[in-house]
Structures are given as C-alpha cells and as structure tokens.
Amino acid sequence: MSKIQKEALNQLTSFQDYVKDSLLFEVSKDKIDEQRVQQVFLKSRLLFKKFEWIAEYFSADLTKRLNGPPVQEIENADLLDSSLVRAADPMGLQVIEQFIFPKHNVAEKKNLVNETRHLITNTAYLISFFADQQLADWRILDAAKLEVFRIISLGITGFDNPLSLNSMEESSESLKSLRGVLRLYVNKKNNTTLLKDLDASIEYLNRNSDFNSFDRAKFIKSFGNEISAGIAQLEDDLPGRKIKYNRMLKQEARTLFDSVAFNADAFSPGPEFHVTDAKVGLGKRLFMINRFLVPAQEAVFLVTILNWHLQTDWLSTRIFMFLQNY
C-alpha cells in the first residue's frame, strides 16, 4: 500500500470517527446547542476537504453521498433510452448544512440525525473501496489537478457551502492536503516553484478569509492557474502510458481557461455524433439562412433529414449541398 493511499485511509477514518463521536453526538441531544453543532459541522467539513481530491476522482458516486448538492438529481444510465431515467435524492454535508445554518431547524431533527448516520455509513464504503485500490501516479496527479479546478469553480465561490460560507478556510485545507501529496513528486533540487505557489496560495486564503471581499480573479490568475499548470507539467514528465478518458474537461488542459480545455463531444452518445468540419460548416450555413419559405416538398425533405440528427459526415455534406440553393 502506497504512502498516499495510507494517508487517504487515515483521513477517511478520522472524518468518520469525528462525525460519529462529535457530530452525531451533538445532533442527537434532546436540546441542541446551535453554536456548538455549527462549530462541529464546520470541523467535519474541513476533515472532508483533506480527502476530497482523491475521493472525488476515484469514487465520485460514493463521494456524492458525502457532499453532493442538496437538490434531487435526474440520472440516466443510457442517453438513448429514457426508460432508464431515475431520481436520486440528495444526501451528505450540504443537506445537513441546511438544517443548522443560518439557524438550527428544530423541525428537521429526525432528518438531521438520519443524514449524519448516512455520513458514517457511506464513509465506511469509501474506506473499504480505498483499502483495495491501485493508485497510478498519473491518476494521482490528474486528481490533484482536478481538485485545483474544483477549488476555483466550486470552492472559493461558495458552491458547496452556500450557507456557512467557510469557503476560504476549506479551500486552504484542500490545498494543504494537495501539498502533502505533490511534494512526493517534486524534484526538490530542480523544481520547487510548485510548492512555493501552493504555500503562497494557502497563505493568501488564510489572510483573506472574508467571503464577500475575497479577490477571486487575483487568486485564480496568481495562484490557481499556476498551480494547475505546475501539476500538469509533473504529469507530462511522468514516464509510461496514460489512459485517455472521454470527459468534458480534457486531460491535457493545464488551466480551466485553455482554449482547448473542454471536449464538446464528451456527452455525445457515440462517435457518429461527434463534431466534424462538415457539421460545423452546415451549422454556419443554417445560421445564415435568411428565409424559410421553401416549396412544400423541399421543406418536408429538409425537416426529415434534420431529424436524422446529422449522424454522418456524408449526410452533413448532402444537406450542405442542398442548402446552396437558399
């Protein structure tokens, strides 16, 4: 078992123990001390942030049970089969937050206790998962880079703590955890820039903890982009083959603001639906049409072929040729 894997398991266990011994204890009291339960909850979130980077990457579905958005989600296992659609109820820290911030909701006592118990159970599943995993170096670095993107897009914006707004401290805790991981990959003789950037970003977050006045643009430009690019370079320098995933954010992206950072084909049902030059040309042609009054037969033909979803370049080319008359 690697050092990183052992540390992740220790962090998961610490989180589970604290939730069991402190958070569950507080929310189970007949008379809840609002200030105390809020403090314990915030501490629980900080403990979660220590292992968020690795849990979100290697087991996103399980991690969503710990800190998923507090809204019901509609999931579909097959984009082409609507019968597989199902609703997933929210659970985890963000759901609990609604019960105790900005004020403790006495009427939700039963749900509060149940959600806290779910945290303990679902963390146990994660512990079992990571006890038997092989963590490749390139995947660890990929996970670390995605955590930086997560901090930029969800952390400092208050997305996953919209009521407590303890965003800067939580982001700082995430970066501290990443620093412990990344120092194992940095050649201290030749490259200490990444670790210095991490230290500077943590210090900046600690000194500027007010949610409303925090300069997010400065943080992203001066720290976030530099750190993610540094991690990407570490990954590029690793020897050996790396598996390519079909995901919306491309693996080769060095920052969220790269011109080629996003994969437009990530959610397409299959290769035949991918973007091609012919389809782009057709889209431009359709956009420039300035009249829609065409003869009836031609209109029927146009609607029919468009309903075929432009599945092939051949079809796209034929439509483009047809539209040359308009």
Side-chain angles (χ1 to χ4, degrees), residues 67-83:
N67 192 44
V71 293
Q72 191 177 65
E73 291 189 356
I74 304 300
E75 299 179 350
N76 190 356
D78 188 336
L79 294 176
L80 299 179
D81 187 352
S82 59
S83 67

Side-chain angles (χ1 to χ4, degrees), residues 32-269:
I32 292 179
D33 182 332
E34 180 178 275
Q35 184 176 3
R36 173 60 182 165
V37 78
Q38 289 178 350
Q39 291 174 345
V40 170
F41 172 78
L42 293 177
K43 174 65 175 178
S44 299
R45 283 194 58 85
L46 291 177
L47 290 172
F48 167 78
K49 288 296 176 176
K50 289 178 180 291
F51 62 84
E52 178 186 51
W53 72 274
I54 194 169
E56 283 280 8
Y57 187 89
F58 289 96
S59 185
D61 287 340
L62 274 177
T63 308
K64 188 180 294 185
R65 300 182 188 179
L66 300 187
N67 192 44
V71 293
Q72 191 177 65
E73 291 189 356
I74 304 300
E75 299 179 350
N76 190 356
D78 188 336
L79 294 176
L80 299 179
D81 187 352
S82 59
S83 67
L84 298 178
V85 171
R86 65 183 180 86
D89 291 326
M91 61 174 60
L93 292 165
Q94 293 187 56
V95 175
I96 293 174
E97 183 184 44
Q98 296 180 116
F99 299 149
I100 59 179
F101 281 92
K103 294 287 185 180
H104 169 233
N105 187 343
V106 179
E108 295 289 353
K109 171 67 178 293
K110 182 178 180 180
N111 288 330
L112 177 57
V113 172
N114 287 338
E115 285 297 331
T116 304
R117 292 187 184 280
H118 288 325
L119 272 184
I120 298 168
T121 301
N122 290 323
T123 304
Y125 295 148
L126 268 177
I127 291 172
S128 297
F129 175 82
F130 280 107
D132 188 31
Q133 284 295 309
Q134 296 296 320
L135 308 180
D137 288 334
W138 71 268
R139 297 187 77 194
I140 289 172
L141 292 177
D142 193 33
K145 184 177 66 175
L146 288 183
E147 180 64 12
V148 177
F149 293 158
R150 189 175 294 111
I151 290 169
I152 290 173
S153 58
L154 305 179
I156 60 175
T157 60
F159 180 86
D160 67 346
N161 55 10
L163 299 177
S164 58
L165 295 179
N166 196 33
S167 305
M168 309 319 153
E169 187 176 0
E170 290 186 7
S171 297
S172 174
E173 201 64 39
S174 295
L175 289 173
K176 289 176 187 176
S177 184
L178 287 187
R179 192 191 188 288
V181 172
L182 294 172
R183 66 180 176 81
L184 301 176
Y185 293 91
V186 171
N187 184 331
K188 295 181 179 179
K189 293 183 179 179
N190 300 323
N191 182 10
T192 58
T193 302
L194 177 57
L195 297 183
K196 289 179 180 178
D197 287 337
L198 281 163
D199 288 339
S201 67
I202 293 167
E203 182 183 356
Y204 185 82
L205 287 164
N206 292 340
R207 284 191 290 105
N208 301 274
S209 59
D210 180 69
F211 182 84
N212 292 326
S213 63
F214 186 78
D215 191 339
R216 290 164 179 82
K218 180 177 180 179
F219 176 83
I220 293 170
K221 184 176 179 180
S222 300
F223 305 111
N225 289 347
E226 295 296 325
I227 294 170
S228 65
I231 296 172
Q233 188 59 53
L234 282 179
E235 188 177 356
D236 290 342
D237 293 341
L238 283 177
R241 187 175 69 92
K242 305 174 183 68
I243 298 173
K244 289 294 183 181
Y245 295 126
N246 178 40
R247 67 188 192 200
M248 190 172 70
L249 187 59
K250 293 182 179 179
Q251 282 170 257
E252 57 267 30
R254 303 177 75 81
T255 78
L256 279 176
F257 305 93
D258 289 1
S259 59
V260 293
F262 295 96
N263 175 16
D265 297 319
F267 296 117
S268 60

